[in-house]
Structures are given as structure tokens and as C-alpha cells.
Amino acid sequence: MSKVLVVKAHPFSEEYSRTMKVTNAFLKSYREHHPDDEIEEIHLYDITIPEIDRDLLEAWNQLKQRVPFYALSIEQQHKVTLFDSFYCEFFGKG
């Protein structure tokens, strides 16, 4: 059994989008020919992804250098916590 990730990065349904019509036709055919495979679909326009900005990148860099979490700025702590909780919720990692 294989696992397939489909990332849909289009705001419209197949009713308005030929790209989504082709994508959905592919998925239908794939499911018919690979019934045991697991398909996970991510709709980027349906989720809110926290912004990865300078504060967050600098915080990650500091954490890699073993700077304690409490030594980060309050804003950096907030952004790291927000991004981590999004990641854990969305990808099921703990």
C-alpha cells in the first residue's frame, strides 16, 4: 500500500476550473486502479498557515543553537508556539 499526497492549491472547484477538473479525474482513476492506496488531500485555500517571518526564522535558529525557549522574545515564543501547534494539528506530529 502506498500513500499519496495531493496538494490542491487552487481556490476554485472543478465547476470553474479545468485544472481541478483534471485533478479530480486523475484522483478518480487512481482510486479505481489503486484501491488499497491511501490518498491524503490538502486544500491550501481551506487552511490558515502561520506566516514564516524573520522573527520565527531567528527563533528557530536560536533554538538550534540551544538558546532556551524562555530566552526568546515574547513575540518569538508566541510565533514558535503557534507554528508548532499548527504543525502538530495538521500533520499529526507530537
Side-chain angles (χ1 to χ4, degrees):
M1 176 172 102
S2 295
K3 186 170 184 178
V4 178
L5 174 63
V6 178
V7 179
K8 292 184 175 181
H10 199 290
F12 297 127
S13 68
E14 67 179 43
E15 181 180 334
Y16 300 106
S17 167
R18 288 180 293 211
T19 300
M20 295 313 301
K21 194 175 287 189
V22 169
T23 300
N24 292 338
F26 166 78
L27 287 172
K28 180 180 178 189
S29 177
Y30 188 91
R31 284 185 177 104
E32 290 171 0
H33 291 90
H34 303 90
D36 295 330
D37 288 1
E38 180 182 345
I39 299 175
E40 180 179 351
E41 294 183 43
I42 297 174
H43 302 265
L44 293 181
Y45 279 85
D46 293 341
I47 59 175
T48 302
I49 301 171
E51 181 180 3
I52 298 174
D53 62 5
R54 178 179 288 135
D55 282 338
L56 185 57
L57 291 171
E58 288 176 358
W60 285 339
N61 188 45
Q62 290 176 15
L63 291 170
K64 272 198 284 186
Q65 295 175 18
R66 300 184 185 265
V67 171
F69 182 78
Y70 64 82
L72 300 175
S73 72
I74 296 298
E75 188 171 348
Q76 287 174 317
Q77 290 178 24
H78 172 73
K79 290 179 180 185
V80 168
T81 302
L82 180 66
F83 193 88
D84 287 354
S85 62
F86 162 79
Y87 185 86
C88 291
E89 179 181 331
F90 195 74
F91 293 106
K93 308 286 185 198

